[in-house]
Every structure is written in C-alpha cells, then in structure tokens.
Amino acid sequence: MAALIGPASAWATFAVVMLALVVYHVRHLARLSRWLADPVPGRVPEGSGTWDEVLSALHKYERAGVRRESLLEEALTRFRRAAQALPDGVIMLDAENRIEWCNDAAAAQLGLDPRADVGQAIANLLRAPVFIDHLAARDQTGAVQMQVGDAVFALRLVPYGESQKLLLSRDVTQAERLETMRRDFVANVSHELRTPLTVLVGFLETVRELKLDPQRTRDYLGMMQEQSARMHRIIEDLLTLSVLESAPPPAAERVPTRPLLERLRADAQALSGGRHRIVLLGSPAVDLLGSESELSSAFGNLVSNAIRYTPQDGEVRIIWRDAAEGASFVVEDTGIGIAQEHLPRLTERFYRVDRSRSRETGGTGLGLAIVKHAVARHQAHLDVESKPGQGSRFTIRFPAKRTIPGETDLAQTRNSSA
Ligand code: ADP
C-alpha cells in the first residue's frame, strides 16, 4: 500500500507543479498578448522568473524603439522648420507628381493649400502650359518662369529618392523687372546716340562727296557740330546719372543757399537771352547740407526746363521757402504745362512728353532723372504740379535735418550779440 501511495503522491505533486507552471506561463502569455494587441509605449508588462528576463529584454527593445522614433520625429520637425524658414517655395512630389508636402512660401506664392492640396496632382493646380510641358519633359534641368498675377516665379524640379521630386519656386519679379529696365535702357541709349550719329555721318558724306561752296560747307559743319554737341550732352548726363547711382551718400558739406540762388538766376537769364521774365523770390535763412555739385545740378535742370518749355514773354519764378519742417526750392513757369497722365513717368530716363520739342531745345530726356536721384540722395522729395497751357511747378522739399542756419544770419547774430 505504502508502495502505491508513494508514486501517487509523487504524481500528484508533479501534476500540481506542472499546473502551477502552466498557469504561470499562461498568465504571462496572456499579459504579453494583451499588451501586443495594444502596445502602449512604456507599459510592457512586468514578469517574474524566466519571463522577467524576456519581458525586460522586450522592455529595453521597446524603449530603444521609442527613442529612435522620437529622434526621427525631432529630425523631421527640424527639417520641416528649416524648409518652412526658406524664403523659396518647396513642394515634395511623389512618383505620380502628387503633392506630399509643401511649405508656406510655396502655398503663398503659388496659391496652394498646404493641407487640402496634399495628394492632389500638381498639374491640376499649376496649369501654365510652360510648367506642364516642363513636368512632362525628359530633360527637366534648368528652370521655367511662370506668371502668377503680377508676380513672376522661377520653377525648378529636383529629383531625389526613388522617383520623387522637389519642386522649388522662387520669386523673380524684381530681377525680371530690373532685367527689362536694363534691356530698355540699352535700347534707348543706342537709339538716342544713333540718331545724331546717323545725321553726322550723312553730313560727312555730303561734305566729302559734293563740291560745296565755302558758305554751304560752313553750314554743314555747323550742323555737324550741333549733332556732336548733342551726343556729348547725352553722354555727360549718362555719366552724371551713373555717378549718382553708384557714388557713396553725399557728404554733408554746407551749401550756401543765397549765392546758389543768385547763380541760378544769372544762368537762367543767360539761357533765356531776354525772352522771359526771371524772378527770384524768398530770402533764405538756412543753408543746405549736402553735395553742392549735385544740388546745383538738380536745381539747374529744373530752371533750364522751365525756360525751355516756356514760350517767349513767359515768366519763370525761382522761389525759396524756409519752414519749421525743412525748406523748399520751387521753380514755377507759365509755360506749356504737362498733361496729368505724363506726371508719374516724367522722371524715367528718356521719357519726354514731346520728343521733338525736347530735342529742338537741346534736351536729353535725362534731366529729371538726374533731379530725382540727386534729390533722393538728400532725403528730399520732388513734387510736380502742372496744367497744360498754364504752366508747371516743380518743388523740392528738404527735411529739417538737411538744413542749417544760414551763414549770413549767423554772422548777424554774432555781430548783434557782441
Ligand atoms: P528733357 O531733356 O527732354 O527736357 P527732362 O528729363 O528734363 O528731359 O524732362 C522730361 C520731360 O518732361 C520733358 O521732355 C518735357 O516733356 C517735360 N517737362 C519737364 N519740365 C517741364 C516744364 N517745366 N514744362 C513742361 N514740360 C516739362
């Protein structure tokens, strides 16, 4: 009997141990499978015994995964922040040219919605034929230009990864405008110089080929001299303009106003040759601070225009006004005047209301461009008011910081206080 009880109790003990073991494993397995069904990071179940080793290893692995993920997320956030900070537009396209992501600059420039347009084919959103052709082309090197409203954008495709692309957009409106201005300027200068040169060459041939009497020869030489002088004036004005554009800001040297105005009156009288009434009004109490040559060239251009565009017996007034907020130099005339629509373009190089009248009176079309630059370099403003048939008023307003008490007044103050 004892012999039987021994093995039976051994079996029972064995069965209990086995059962405990099964329960231990099943409970751990159940916990693990519950966690695997919803793997909350950092909540890997804890275990005991062998399971402790397994679950700790899993815990470590899971923590490393979480760390890797957060590093990746950080890197992605950094990349997106950098791409957002770019002044240029960046659009990520997939292999089918659909938008995966775009920065705010691209959205603003090209009118995209950074959320709603994700997954949209770029060709459905940017429909300019020049871009559609570029997108379909085999060779996508280089950039194409696309007009959006008043702005011009350069679009460039850059392949990366496996058949993905970056579409970069850059606002080139200003550069395009400058390029157009440069082209127009070169064309204008060539035209302005070619005209007198053609006339000059024509006269030269005439004088060389034909047997002319001395009087005729002198006439032709006189006309040739006129054309040469015209070319000379254009080149002088172009040089003045280029100096005004590139020179450092003018020095703040004292420019005595009274003698400057007196010189202008004398020059005006000489230019008019007695055909106009020249009046100088105002008694300046301040001098200007700036470049004497630039200021006298700006003032001189306004006075010379007033005389050239005012018929005989008209009046030209040179006026100086002191005020608390600064000083103004004004030139008024009773001349032909300028229609309103021309006023905004008057200071453009070579812009003239009446080309032949400007030429007849020795104009280069650069005078007001010179005035505009010289005035801006002294933080002053040029205003133009005019009525066709009645006359014009050109006003240069200087800020107070460009004026200084006049020397004569200072001398008087010193004398009276002595
Ligand atoms: P220009 O050498 O042709 O006079 P400016 O640049 O000095 O060139 O002036 C540009 C144009 O503005 C002139 O061609 C002329 O049509 C107009 N203008 C300038 N000043 C006057 C004025 N006082 N009265 C009428 N028109 C003027």
Side-chain angles (χ1 to χ4, degrees), residues 29-43:
L29 262 176
R31 264 191 239 155
L32 180 61
S33 73
R34 259 202 311 278
W35 182 80
L36 285 174
D38 180 18
V40 181
R43 301 281 285 274

Side-chain angles (χ1 to χ4, degrees), residues 111-418:
L112 303 176
D113 184 327
R115 276 175 227 284
D117 288 339
V118 167
Q120 294 278 344
I122 191 75
N124 290 340
L125 299 168
L126 307 184
R127 292 162 171 273
V130 61
F131 173 67
I132 303 288
D133 290 350
H134 187 58
L135 195 63
R138 265 167 166 269
D139 179 11
Q140 293 179 328
T141 47
V144 289
Q145 292 202 351
M146 193 176 88
Q147 180 103 24
V148 180
D150 286 341
V152 183
F153 296 101
L155 300 178
R156 183 184 294 275
L157 286 163
V158 183
Y160 77 99
E162 288 168 19
S163 337
Q164 283 138 300
K165 290 181 200 91
L166 281 180
L167 172 60
L168 306 176
S169 65
R170 171 167 290 183
D171 189 342
V172 293
T173 317
Q174 191 59 15
E176 266 300 290
R177 212 168 278 157
L178 284 176
E179 179 56 21
T180 311
M181 272 170 66
R182 192 192 62 79
R183 271 198 301 264
D184 288 354
F185 180 64
V186 171
N188 277 333
V189 171
S190 316
H191 176 77
E192 294 290 334
L193 288 175
R194 198 179 53 192
T195 314
L197 201 59
T198 311
V199 179
L200 200 63
V201 170
F203 284 147
L204 268 175
E205 274 170 12
T206 314
V207 172
R208 214 178 67 152
E209 303 293 326
L210 300 180
K211 279 208 169 352
L212 299 169
D213 61 65
Q215 181 54 43
R216 286 286 288 243
T217 308
R218 258 199 306 280
D219 289 347
Y220 276 115
L221 286 176
M223 289 188 273
M224 282 159 65
Q225 196 177 9
E226 246 171 54
Q227 297 304 321
S228 318
R230 180 166 151 65
M231 291 201 300
H232 191 238
R233 274 198 306 276
I234 293 175
I235 289 167
E236 284 290 313
D237 278 357
L238 283 171
L239 284 174
T240 306
L241 258 181
S242 96
V243 168
L244 286 177
E245 275 181 341
S246 53
E253 66 191 43
R254 177 189 286 273
V255 182
T257 323
R258 281 166 195 260
L260 179 58
L261 295 179
E262 284 300 341
R263 267 201 313 278
L264 281 172
R265 190 214 329 237
D267 290 350
Q269 272 159 348
L271 191 63
S272 159
R275 290 175 300 124
H276 307 89
R277 220 167 81 81
I278 314 283
V279 183
L280 175 57
L281 296 170
S283 151
V286 295
D287 287 340
L288 288 171
L289 284 172
S291 150
E292 172 132 34
S293 63
E294 288 180 25
L295 292 171
S296 81
S297 145
F299 294 178
N301 268 308
L302 293 185
V303 172
S304 122
N305 280 355
I307 290 176
R308 287 169 41 234
Y309 296 106
T310 300
Q312 180 146 0
D313 299 329
E315 185 170 290
V316 171
R317 290 183 284 274
I318 302 168
I319 307 164
W320 183 267
R321 288 200 192 107
D322 290 323
E325 67 277 9
S328 309
F329 170 79
V330 186
V331 179
E332 280 177 4
D333 64 55
T334 56
I336 59 171
I338 307 158
Q340 200 64 25
E341 72 262 25
H342 295 290
L343 296 184
R345 300 195 57 191
L346 228 47
T347 55
E348 284 176 24
R349 289 145 203 239
F350 298 119
Y351 188 84
R352 290 130 161 158
V353 176
D354 179 346
R355 197 164 273 273
S356 56
R357 172 144 197 160
S358 157
R359 203 165 291 157
E360 274 163 27
T361 58
T364 59
L366 295 169
L368 289 182
I370 291 175
V371 175
K372 181 180 107 172
H373 274 84
V375 160
R377 281 164 61 80
H378 290 80
Q379 295 78 45
H381 276 286
L382 173 69
D383 283 338
V384 189
E385 300 150 85
S386 193
K387 280 221 171 85
Q390 293 189 18
S392 311
R393 178 188 296 131
F394 288 76
T395 307
I396 300 179
R397 291 178 217 283
F398 291 93
K401 64 178 178 185
R402 281 282 174 190
T403 64
I404 184 172
E407 265 186 333
T408 33
D409 284 49
L410 270 184
Q412 275 164 9
T413 321
R414 257 185 243 127
N415 289 343
S416 56
S417 60

